[in-house]
Amino acid sequence: MSLESPVLDIDPLIDDPKTRIVVCCGSGGVGKTTTAAALGVRAAERGRKAVVLTIDPARRLAQSMGLTELDNTPRKVAGIDESAGGELHAMMLDMKRTFDEVVLQHTDQERARAILDNPFYQSLSAGFAGTQEYMAMEKLGQLRALDEWDLIIVDTPPSRSALDFLDAPKRLGSFLDGRFIRLLMAPAKVGGRAGVKFLNVGMSMMTGTLSKVMGAHLLRDVQTFVAAMDSMFGGFRSRADATYKLLQANGTAFLVVAAPERDALREASYFVERLAAEDMPLAGLVLNRVHGSGAAQLTAERALAAAEALDDLSEPEDPDDTDADDPDTADATDTAGADPVAGNPSTPRLTGEFDESAENLQSVGIVDQPGGKAGLRTADGGEGTPSTDSADTSSPESPTGSPAVPAPAQEGDAGRSTNPDALDADRLAAGMLRLHAERMQLVARERRTRDRFVSVHPDVPMVDVAALPGDVHDLEGLRAIGERLAQGQPTAA
């Protein structure tokens, strides 16, 4: 029996005008980008002026929305039903360009040029660890400050850990407050010739050692960068703190996105606990790519048993195996005084009640009976049970010259194994039953994984999103995902 959880109602969440920011977070590969895009489409068609901010290097969001490309500027999405008064914009975070915009916005032109041309800055803005997460926070703050959209939906960066997005502001503050940065900033903060003389000896020893480790050119680039950024460090820290508080404020909703897999739900569980510890508003969990079956009443065990039964029916008979088809052979093994010609294909079979004391007589075989009946002589000279089987299945006529009568198909294996169409149908049915058994096993495994999460977090609202047969390529696919988000059921079978 599956555990029940509260139902996550998506439509009331995105319809509420007090909801201004929705953050889709979770581990990589669980469908965060698709979920964010589907929420944006549904919110816009229900009357919200929404913008979707994604950090998706695969450009899937642009393709599904019919855009040739996405960049750091929000672009309006065509094809949205705006009859309710809403509209949708989408953008993809350009990490370096966002960093450049911050530099240009918060420093004078001369210093900005020195920073932008600095090799260390170019490397930092392009791929420094944590820069992407921080720039996503920076861009979120910019969009919220513009106040042009009443709903901002954020697709968090595809990080190894879902916690990187929350940790980015603190990590940047730790970096800026680090001893190494303070040491490199010291000459710029100490003015006058006295200060330079005071630091000359110590700095010479330090820079000499660092030059050997880092290289003279790299050290010089770092010092130049730090000196130019000195006036901006306080701005970075204050904006990071402001964005962090924005995430904690009313009007922000976190949606943890996961797949019904052990690793993804373990990450989701850790994230739920972290959000609670940081006092951030959790709306609920979106469980993506959940599998189901339209014939759930047929269990995997019953399906496999039925498939094996069909396999037995479709197996061809072995022509050398006469044990099952020739009762005389059975007599030979069961009766001590068996006739030495038992197993002769000309020996007739009995279809009625068979007296085990009766045996065929080679010298007599089948004899004509009064009234056209065929009978079999027994050892005591009596007559056996009338038979309708042919006297010789290998010859068109019996030993007496009478026409052979074809044996009727018996109910079971013999009747089906002679019909190619029936064999093909049996094999197809067996294959379908095995596929169904595999699906039911997958459903059961996903249900157990969900139940473990629910047992730890019974109060977290959840919604199941049924898996689509293929990838989402257009707005119709995003609408279908939105419908499943809105009509999803709690995680109980």
Side-chain angles (χ1 to χ4, degrees), residues 175-335:
F175 170 74
L176 298 180
D177 291 333
R179 294 181 180 179
F180 178 67
I181 294 297
R182 291 204 306 268
L183 185 59
L184 293 178
M185 293 170 57
K189 291 187 175 182
V190 179
R193 298 174 61 88
V196 174
K197 290 180 179 179
F198 176 77
L199 292 174
N200 186 42
V201 177
M203 288 297 294
S204 296
M205 294 176 61
M206 185 271 295
T207 55
T209 302
L210 290 177
S211 296
K212 294 179 182 179
V213 176
M214 302 173 58
H217 292 290
L218 176 58
L219 179 60
R220 184 165 55 251
D221 292 339
V222 173
Q223 288 178 315
T224 304
F225 166 74
V226 171
M229 292 283 288
D230 180 28
S231 61
M232 295 183 57
F233 283 156
F236 274 113
R237 188 180 296 105
S238 62
R239 287 192 303 278
D241 293 340
T243 305
Y244 200 76
K245 291 180 180 179
L246 179 64
L247 295 175
Q248 293 177 316
N250 293 330
T252 299
F254 279 84
L255 287 177
V256 178
V257 184
E261 301 169 359
R262 183 177 58 182
D263 292 342
L265 280 174
R266 182 167 53 236
E267 191 82 3
S269 178
Y270 192 25
F271 205 100
V272 167
E273 295 171 0
R274 174 67 184 277
L275 288 173
E278 298 290 339
D279 196 24
M280 292 190 175
L282 173 64
L285 176 77
V286 175
L287 198 61
N288 259 337
R289 304 168 185 166
V290 176
H291 295 87
S293 174
Q297 68 276 11
L298 179 59
T299 64
E301 293 77 10
R302 292 177 60 193
L304 287 175
E308 291 175 359
L310 287 174
D311 286 341
D312 293 340
L313 288 177
S314 62
E315 288 181 358
E317 293 182 353
D318 187 354
D320 297 331
D321 184 8
T322 59
D323 291 347
D325 296 334
D326 194 347
D328 295 331
T329 304
D331 292 342
T333 59
D334 296 338
T335 307

Side-chain angles (χ1 to χ4, degrees), residues 25 57 94 106 163 176 233 239 249 300 307 335 380 384 425 434 464 467 488:
C25 52
D94 185 329
H106 296 283
L163 304 178
L176 298 180
F233 283 156
R239 287 192 303 278
T335 307
D380 57 1
R434 285 191 171 87
D464 284 355

